[in-house]
Amino acid sequence: MHRTTPKILVVDDETDALDLISFNLRGAGYEVITADAGLEALKKAKEALPDLILLDLMLPEVDGFEICKRLRREPSTEKIPIIMLTAKAAEIDRVLGLELGADDYITKPFSPRELNLRVKNILRRNTQKNEPQDYFEVDELIVDIPRYMVTVDKKEINLTATEFKLLTVLLQRRGRVQSREQLLRDVWGYDSLIDTRTVDTHMRRLREKLGNSARHLDTVRGIGYRFNDVK
């Protein structure tokens, strides 16, 4: 069941920030619910099942990292997109947030226009993600999953099973950064993490085989990889 108006849960313990974010989102046409503490945020997320959560990191009771971790463990909330909002700009915080399953990360202060654009993009991406897709055409690159075929400039590219799975996972999540740890789980099926250089090695081989189309495979320093279809 799809809501006509997306519902967004905003979590922040600073009243001014909560009011400002809520005001701007309502002005952009979204339904907004709020929480100013960790336990309240978990409760409202499970009850309301919002389309998106804007989550501050520094919260009383339970911090944003732990909230993100718990939401990703719950079947009812595991697929809700999460944008982390925080004054902590250190790379380690961004990496940890993304590894725990956040979809995006915005550091304070930020402009209402930037926030609205990020929210719009995540909601659109999530809608697309819920629609199964097994055929991709990005510039000269074509990937046909049912036929197990990849072509670049109409020439078929021979990929190993792992390289093919790696490419299709990145394509199906295009625009979203995938950590090396996440790729190890989703492509290789490893529950316990082994040397993440395995991912780097396969990415290097995949890029070599894709030639000019490899420009769509971004390395996100300190985190992992992303398929960018706008290049």
Side-chain angles (χ1 to χ4, degrees):
M1 179 176 166
H2 294 282
R3 288 187 280 260
T4 52
T5 303
K7 181 186 292 184
I8 299 176
L9 170 60
V10 182
V11 186
D12 200 310
D13 64 333
E14 296 180 10
T15 303
D16 289 346
L18 200 60
D19 291 345
L20 180 62
I21 294 168
S22 300
F23 175 79
N24 281 294
L25 291 174
R26 289 190 179 106
Y30 300 112
E31 179 183 348
V32 178
I33 53 177
T34 62
D36 60 8
L39 295 178
E40 181 189 13
L42 287 167
K43 183 172 182 287
K44 287 190 174 180
K46 292 172 186 175
E47 290 175 351
L49 297 178
D51 298 285
L52 174 69
I53 298 173
L54 295 178
L55 180 62
D56 188 35
L57 285 186
M58 305 299 288
L59 295 167
E61 303 170 340
V62 183
D63 68 24
F65 290 128
E66 181 62 25
I67 290 172
C68 187
K69 193 188 302 180
R70 293 190 195 182
L71 291 174
R72 288 292 176 253
R73 276 193 233 142
E74 288 281 333
S76 63
T77 58
E78 65 177 349
K79 298 196 182 297
I80 298 175
I82 296 172
I83 299 178
M84 288 187 166
L85 307 174
T86 181
K88 301 174 75 173
E91 182 182 52
I92 186 64
D93 294 312
R94 293 198 301 275
V95 172
L96 181 56
L98 291 167
E99 285 184 349
L100 288 174
D103 295 81
D104 206 348
Y105 194 108
I106 306 179
T107 55
K108 299 177 180 178
F110 49 82
S111 71
R113 184 171 178 271
E114 179 192 6
L115 178 62
N116 285 339
L117 281 172
R118 299 274 193 112
V119 166
K120 183 179 178 182
N121 287 340
I122 290 287
L123 288 172
R124 183 178 65 237
R125 189 187 304 159
N126 201 53
T127 301
Q128 293 169 345
K129 188 174 62 175
N130 290 333
E131 298 170 358
Q133 186 174 354
D134 54 18
Y135 182 89
F136 300 88
E137 185 169 353
V138 184
D139 297 332
E140 70 285 342
L141 172 67
I142 295 176
V143 178
D144 189 331
I145 295 177
R147 295 176 65 196
Y148 202 84
M149 182 180 292
V150 177
T151 62
V152 174
D153 284 329
K154 300 181 181 178
K155 179 182 177 183
E156 188 171 352
I157 307 298
N158 293 318
L159 300 182
T160 66
T162 300
E163 290 163 352
F164 185 81
K165 181 73 180 293
L166 180 59
L167 177 60
T168 56
V169 165
L170 289 169
L171 264 169
Q172 288 166 337
R173 301 170 187 176
R174 59 196 181 280
R176 299 177 63 192
V177 179
Q178 303 299 301
S179 70
R180 291 173 175 82
E181 292 78 8
Q182 196 168 1
L183 290 170
L184 278 172
R185 285 191 292 268
D186 297 344
V187 176
W188 280 263
Y190 295 142
D191 292 325
S192 57
L193 300 180
I194 61 167
D195 193 341
T196 55
R197 285 177 294 183
T198 297
V199 181
D200 299 331
T201 300
H202 280 80
M203 281 296 298
R204 186 171 65 252
R205 290 175 183 164
L206 179 59
R207 281 172 165 151
E208 288 171 358
K209 291 183 178 182
L210 291 181
N212 192 42
S213 290
R215 70 186 185 279
H216 292 289
L217 299 175
D218 291 343
T219 299
V220 183
R221 189 181 172 203
I223 302 174
Y225 298 97
R226 168 180 58 202
F227 189 96
N228 188 345
D229 57 4
V230 297
K231 291 189 175 182

